[in-house]
Amino acid sequence: MVRQKGEFQIRWRTDLPYKWAIGKLAVKYFEELKKRKIMGSKCPKCGKMYMPPRGVCADCFVEMTVNDMAELSRRGILEGFTVVNYPFVDPNTGAMRPFPYGYIICKLDGADTYLMHFCDETDHNKFKIGQRVEVVFCDELPKDHESYRPELKGDIYDIPFIKLLKDQEK
Amino acid sequence: MSEDKKVFKGRINVPYKHTAGAYVEKFLTEIGKNRKIMGVKCPKCSKVIVPPKMICFECFEKMEEWVEVGNQGTVKGFTVITHKTDVMPLEPPFAYGIIRLDGADVDIVHIIKESDPKKLKAGMRVEASFYAKPRKRILDIEYFKPI
Amino acid sequence: MDHFEGINFSELWTGIDACGFYLKPIVKIATGGTTGSSLGICGYYNIASGIYDKVMVVGWEKLNEGGATTGIITAFDPVWERPSLAGALGPLALMANIYASKYGVERSMKAAADVVVKNRSNAANNEFAHLQMPNITTDFVMSSQMISYPLRLHDCCPQSEGACAVIYANENEAKKITDNPAWFKGVSTAHYYTFGTDEKMYNLPTATIASKKIYKKLGIKDPVKDLDVAEIYEPTSWAELAWCEALGFCDFGQYAKLLDDGVTQMSGELPVNPSGGVLSTNPIGATALVRFAEAAIQVMGRGGKRQVPDVEVAMGMGFGGSLWTELCILGKDPKPLR
Ligand SMILES: [Zn+2]
Ligand SMILES: [Zn+2]
C-alpha cells in the first residue's frame, strides 16, 4: 500500500449532474413541509408508520399512497448520537464537508422508523440517549445563522438540523 | 405539479487519482517531449498496440518491444457531436473518429477537427496535431486534422 | 468498485489484462461492502449449478485513488441520506453509541479496544495484512484520536489497496487442482430495506437472520462448538462485538465476556479473524472475499503462522450495503457436516 515514488498518476474530477424522481409521497412530504408539517406514511396492513415516507411497506410488500400519509410530531426521542470529526470530500458539493458536526438518529413521536440527521451540538458529553429532541425549521433560526432562510421552501434545507431539548422543555 | 417539485437535482462531484502505470507514462512522455506516438509489439502475434498495454489481450503475453507508429492515420469511422451537455470535453460541434495509425494493428478513438459531416469520410487521411504545452494527458494529442 | 475509483470497465481490466480471459464470460458484481461475499456466493452458484466446471473469482479495490467515505455517500438516497451521511463511519459510530448505552460505555469501550489488539496481533502473523502493529496495546487504542464518538482512530479499519482471487471447481476438477480443497457446505444471504435507519440496526438483524438459516440447514446447534474458526467482516472494533453476538456466538451484550475468557483468541475455542480482519486490511471490493478466502485457507491448512490447529469447519462473513449479511460455511470433509 506504500506508493512507489514517481509512480505516474492522472488526477481528475468527476462532476456529474443528475435528476432523481423523488416519487409521489416525497412530493407530498415537501408540499406539507412548507406548511410546517412533517408527514410519514402508514402501512394500511400492519400500521407501521414510515418516516421518511415511501411507496412500499417492506414487511408486508403492500403499497402506500399519499392517502396513507399522516402528520408526525416535530419532537421525538434521541436514540443515538455521534460527532463526526474526520475530513472527507462531500460528493454533493465537491468540497470538504465542514466538521466536526453532530449526527444523530432519532424517532419522531408517532413514527415507527428512525431518522438520521444533523444536530447542532458538537460536544458528545452534552447528548443523552432517550432525551427529547425537536426538528428545527430554517425560518426559526437567528437571522445571522448560516442555515437561516426567511421562509420555508419545501425542500430538504427547510429542516437544517435537529436540536436537543433542554430538560425544562420536556 | 411542476417538474421542479417531482425531481431532485443533484450533483456527484468527486476528485479521483488513477495510477496509469509506466507504459502510459512513457507513451505520454514521448508525445509531449518528442512528438512521437509509440506502441508496443506482441512477441507472439506481432500486433502493434497503441495506446500501449503491458499485456497482449489475445495472447496474454507481456509486450516489451516499443515501436514508433506514424503521426498519420486512416479514419475508419466517424460521428459529429452537435448536442451540448454539461460533461463535454469541447464545445460542440466536433467530430470523433476511429483512427488506425500507420503501423498500428488496433484503432484509437480521438477528436477530429472537422465538424462538417460532408467533409468527413471513412478512409480519409488525418494527422495528429499536438498541444503546445504538454500536460501528460491523452489530449496532448489535441486533435487529428484532415490532410 | 465504480464509485470508489471513478471507473466503469474494471471487469475488463481485471478479467483480460490481469487474467487473460479474452473472449471468456466475465461478469462484474458490485453490492457495496458485500461485493466480495456476493462474488464468493455467485462463484459457488456457478459451480454448484453445473453451468461451469471452473471459475475464478476476483475482488479488488484501490482506495488511494478515490475516497471510501465520498464513494459510499454516493451509494445512498440523494434526498434523504446523502446530505448528512458521513460514509460508513458515521452510522457505525451511531450503532456503537447505541450498543454502549445498552451494555455499558466503559465496558464496551474496553472490549472494543481488546478486539483491536486481538485482530491486529493476528495481522502481525499475516504478511498480506495492511496494518502491521505487533506491539499494539489497549491503552494505545483507547488514547487514539476521537474520530466519531465513541469510535477512535484505531477502532476503525484502514483504507487499503488490495485484491483477492479464489478458484472454484466442481468435484472432478477440484481433484486435479489439489488433494486438499475446502468444500462449500452452504451459503446464506439476508438483505434489508433501502433506508438504513428503519431499524436501529446496532445489533445487525441480517446477521441473525442469515446465520440462523445456515445453522439450521447444516445442523449447527452451537456455533462456538461446531465451528472451528470464523472470519467476520468487522469495519470497526464495535462491529465485532455486535456482529458476533448477532451470529449467535454468545448472548446479546456478552461478547466482552467471550473476549475476557479468550474464546475468540487464536488459542480459544472459536478464533475470530485469524487473518487480522477488516480492522487490519480493508480493500472494500475484496474485503468480504478475503473473509471467504481466509475460511478456505484455514480449512486447507495453509494459514502458516496464523493457522488455527485442526480446522474442520470454518465460517466467512460479508457485511455491507444497507446493513446486509452474507455467510459461507466451508468444511474439510466433502461429506455433509451431519
Ligand atoms: Zn406493512
Ligand atoms: Zn499477441
Side-chain angles (χ1 to χ4, degrees):
Chain A
M1 334 266 161
V2 180
R3 302 233 59 76
Q4 286 173 15
K5 274 218 171 80
E7 208 169 57
F8 180 61
Q9 286 193 325
I10 290 171
R11 285 162 191 263
W12 82 97
R13 182 175 281 277
T14 290
D15 185 8
L16 295 172
Y18 66 87
K19 291 184 207 165
W20 175 262
I22 62 176
K24 286 176 192 156
L25 281 80
V27 170
K28 173 87 172 162
Y29 172 89
F30 286 114
E31 277 173 1
E32 296 295 323
L33 187 62
K34 214 172 161 180
K35 299 177 226 159
R36 220 171 291 273
K37 284 184 183 172
I38 299 165
M39 306 287 283
S41 64
K42 189 171 181 164
C43 172
K45 193 172 171 199
C46 69
K48 188 169 177 177
M49 178 66 89
Y50 285 94
M51 171 63 210
R54 80 280 314 254
V56 175
C57 171
D59 294 345
C60 309
F61 197 51
V62 161
E63 186 177 359
M64 292 178 279
T65 70
V66 289
N67 298 325
D68 298 310
M69 290 177 73
E71 190 179 353
L72 302 169
S73 168
R74 64 183 285 191
R75 290 190 174 183
I77 291 176
L78 182 69
E79 300 281 357
F81 61 87
T82 189
V83 179
V84 172
N85 189 32
Y86 52 93
F88 60 92
V89 172
D90 182 346
N92 303 297
T93 63
M96 299 302 284
R97 170 94 51 91
F99 73 97
Y101 66 84
Y103 184 49
I104 62 165
I105 175 169
C106 64
K107 192 185 226 176
L108 296 182
D109 297 343
D112 292 313
T113 62
Y114 302 85
L115 190 63
M116 280 199 289
H117 203 23
F118 293 112
C119 179
D120 62 339
E121 180 56 64
T122 55
D123 177 355
H124 67 79
N125 295 306
K126 299 271 172 65
F127 295 84
K128 200 167 176 338
I129 288 182
Q131 78 175 105
R132 301 289 291 163
V133 295
E134 186 178 79
V135 160
V136 173
F137 290 103
C138 59
D139 61 348
E140 299 165 347
L141 292 165
K143 286 201 170 54
D144 58 351
H145 194 286
E146 57 180 0
S147 300
Y148 168 79
R149 296 196 304 196
E151 59 193 32
L152 302 183
K153 290 184 179 170
D155 64 28
I156 49 166
Y157 304 105
D158 282 351
I159 302 178
F161 57 86
I162 292 170
K163 72 174 178 187
L164 304 176
L165 289 176
K166 297 190 190 77
D167 285 343
Q168 61 266 31
E169 288 173 290
K170 272 178 187 168
Chain B
M1 198 182 301
S2 72
E3 184 69 15
D4 258 20
K5 285 199 166 160
K6 289 190 255 180
V7 173
F8 173 83
K9 292 196 177 101
R11 288 192 98 83
I12 291 181
N13 186 333
V14 185
Y16 290 108
K17 291 180 271 187
H18 176 68
T19 307
Y23 279 46
V24 175
E25 183 174 25
K26 182 174 167 71
F27 174 72
L28 295 178
T29 305
E30 289 289 341
I31 287 171
K33 274 198 180 147
N34 305 322
R35 305 300 201 216
K36 279 184 182 171
I37 302 176
M38 303 292 289
V40 284
K41 190 171 186 175
C42 174
K44 197 168 166 194
C45 70
S46 296
K47 277 187 181 159
V48 174
I49 311 291
V50 190
K53 294 166 87 75
M54 193 186 281
I55 306 292
C56 173
F57 56 87
E58 282 186 64
C59 311
F60 202 49
E61 289 285 330
K62 186 166 185 184
M63 300 185 282
E64 293 177 294
E65 187 190 342
W66 286 81
V67 290
E68 186 186 352
V69 297
N71 291 356
Q72 297 188 352
T74 305
V75 172
K76 295 177 78 178
F78 65 89
T79 185
V80 178
I81 311 292
T82 50
H83 71 281
K84 187 171 153 59
T85 74
D86 278 9
V87 289
M88 292 262 162
L90 292 178
E91 196 68 23
F94 63 92
Y96 274 127
I98 298 173
I99 299 159
R100 174 70 58 98
L101 292 170
D102 298 341
D105 291 301
V106 292
D107 307 319
I108 63 168
V109 175
H110 212 295
I111 295 159
I112 302 177
K113 198 172 183 165
E114 175 54 71
S115 56
D116 181 355
K118 292 195 190 73
K119 293 188 181 152
L120 290 161
K121 66 172 189 290
M124 74 188 289
R125 299 282 296 164
V126 290
E127 182 174 15
S129 179
F130 296 96
Y131 194 75
K133 286 185 204 146
R135 305 147 300 175
K136 285 203 179 179
R137 294 287 179 275
I138 187 63
L139 287 178
D140 287 351
I141 299 175
E142 198 176 358
Y143 51 79
F144 282 84
K145 56 174 188 274
I147 304 170
Chain C
M1 252 174 289
D2 306 5
H3 51 294
F4 290 128
E5 288 84 11
I7 54 169
N8 291 293
F9 265 159
S10 54
E11 67 271 37
L12 303 186
W13 303 356
T14 34
I16 294 173
D17 286 351
C19 305
F21 288 178
Y22 182 59
L23 296 180
K24 286 189 183 177
I26 302 171
V27 175
K28 175 167 72 179
I29 292 166
T31 61
T34 42
T35 291
S37 46
S38 299
L39 283 163
I41 287 175
C42 289
Y44 166 67
Y45 290 161
N46 274 321
I47 299 296
S49 64
I51 295 173
Y52 298 110
D53 295 337
K54 280 178 288 185
V55 171
M56 179 153 88
V57 171
V58 181
W60 69 277
E61 204 72 72
K62 297 179 82 177
L63 286 175
N64 165 66
E65 301 196 340
T69 297
T70 307
I72 286 167
I73 293 170
T74 65
F76 286 81
D77 187 282
V79 176
W80 305 105
E81 294 175 313
R82 280 185 208 173
S84 61
L85 192 74
L89 286 180
L92 286 165
L94 290 175
M95 288 185 254
N97 178 246
I98 297 170
Y99 183 96
S101 79
K102 259 185 124 60
Y103 302 120
V105 178
E106 298 296 318
R107 179 155 169 74
S108 306
M109 276 189 174
K110 167 69 169 49
D114 287 343
V115 168
V116 183
V117 171
K118 170 178 75 71
N119 291 1
R120 297 219 175 131
S121 301
N122 292 352
N125 290 322
N126 178 1
E127 59 178 324
F128 298 110
H130 176 182
L131 296 182
Q132 293 291 337
M133 310 172 86
N135 302 316
I136 190 165
T137 62
T138 49
D139 284 348
F140 174 79
V141 175
M142 292 173 79
S143 59
S144 62
Q145 196 198 336
M146 192 64 83
I147 289 291
S148 194
Y149 178 84
L151 300 182
R152 293 181 180 275
L153 178 65
H154 289 292
D155 285 313
C156 305
C157 60
Q159 297 192 39
S160 310
E161 304 206 347
C164 176
V166 180
I167 306 279
Y168 288 68
N170 65 19
E171 210 167 342
N172 289 334
E173 294 295 329
K175 279 177 197 153
K176 296 180 203 161
I177 298 169
T178 173
D179 297 333
N180 182 29
W183 298 92
F184 264 82
K185 297 300 165 192
V187 297
S188 183
T189 295
H191 281 197
Y192 226 79
Y193 198 43
T194 321
F195 293 102
T197 52
D198 284 351
E199 304 286 346
K200 276 192 272 186
M201 292 289 192
Y202 69 96
N203 54 0
L204 196 60
T206 55
T208 304
I209 295 164
S211 61
K212 276 190 174 158
K213 230 178 352 187
I214 196 167
Y215 297 160
K216 188 174 174 211
K217 186 181 162 206
L218 300 181
I220 290 172
K221 299 224 162 55
D222 178 354
V224 173
K225 286 205 174 67
D226 296 344
L227 300 173
D228 298 313
V229 62
E231 261 292 315
I232 71 150
Y233 193 125
E234 68 339 340
T236 65
S237 52
W238 295 73
E240 179 164 323
L241 309 180
W243 290 193
C244 285
E245 292 165 12
L247 292 169
F249 297 173
C250 58
D251 289 336
F252 286 109
Q254 294 301 311
Y255 192 70
K257 184 167 185 311
L258 228 57
L259 280 167
D260 289 346
D261 295 346
V263 174
T264 55
Q265 299 286 349
M266 283 302 280
S267 54
E269 195 175 2
L270 177 63
V272 170
N273 288 353
S275 75
V278 185
L279 278 172
S280 304
T281 317
N282 189 16
I284 298 175
T287 298
L289 187 60
V290 173
R291 310 279 77 74
F292 281 26
E294 182 68 19
I297 285 168
Q298 291 291 338
V299 165
M300 295 164 85
R302 291 164 64 166
K305 280 197 285 181
R306 64 180 196 277
Q307 179 65 45
V308 175
D310 307 321
V311 174
E312 294 284 335
V313 184
M315 183 161 81
M317 174 199 186
F319 156 84
S322 282
L323 301 168
W324 298 331
T325 300
E326 294 180 328
L327 299 170
C328 76
I329 290 182
L330 308 178
K332 201 175 188 66
D333 196 323
K335 290 199 286 290
L337 284 185
R338 292 197 163 64

